[in-house]
Amino acid sequence: MAAMSVPTNTVLAQQSPVVGDDQQNVKLTKREIEVLTHVIQGKSSREVADALFVSKRTVDFHLANVYDKLHVSNRVQAFRRATRLGLIPYEAQFAD
């Protein structure tokens, strides 16, 4: 069986001890992780857009994809699920 390669801009979550959908591998793109990292620092979609030099609509698009992939409906739930799955670095939670 050939080894399966993962695109360099994709991060795989490690298996979680949580029961249910969390046990599947969740894949977020590098940009989705960047957006989520800014969001968990308390930035609004407009502030994230300005920081990443994209439109607010683009940020909202990435957030919608994150919510869908993590099976959540808001920023707090996304933060909790992404943290539990190890998708975001611990330092990102406390960055300036």
Side-chain angles (χ1 to χ4, degrees):
M1 177 184 236
M4 195 168 84
S5 67
V6 177
T8 58
N9 66 342
T10 303
V11 175
L12 295 176
Q14 297 177 349
Q15 289 292 335
S16 172
V18 180
V19 181
D21 290 336
D22 284 344
Q23 289 189 353
Q24 67 185 0
N25 284 334
V26 176
K27 300 171 189 150
L28 296 181
T29 66
K30 180 180 176 184
R31 193 55 137 186
E32 290 166 348
I33 291 171
E34 287 176 323
V35 168
L36 187 56
T37 299
H38 284 281
V39 165
I40 65 172
Q41 293 171 359
K43 295 181 182 175
S44 68
S45 292
R46 168 60 32 211
E47 291 170 326
V48 175
D50 291 343
L52 298 178
F53 304 103
V54 296
S55 71
K56 179 188 174 295
R57 185 173 178 177
T58 298
V59 169
D60 291 338
F61 172 79
H62 288 303
L63 274 177
N65 287 340
V66 168
Y67 294 171
D68 186 50
K69 290 177 181 183
L70 296 177
H71 305 288
V72 298
S73 58
N74 62 53
R75 293 168 184 239
V76 173
Q77 292 173 348
F79 163 71
R80 288 180 178 167
R81 180 77 45 91
T83 301
R84 186 169 42 236
L85 294 174
L87 294 173
I88 51 176
Y90 182 75
E91 311 82 51
Q93 300 172 31
F94 304 105
D96 291 321

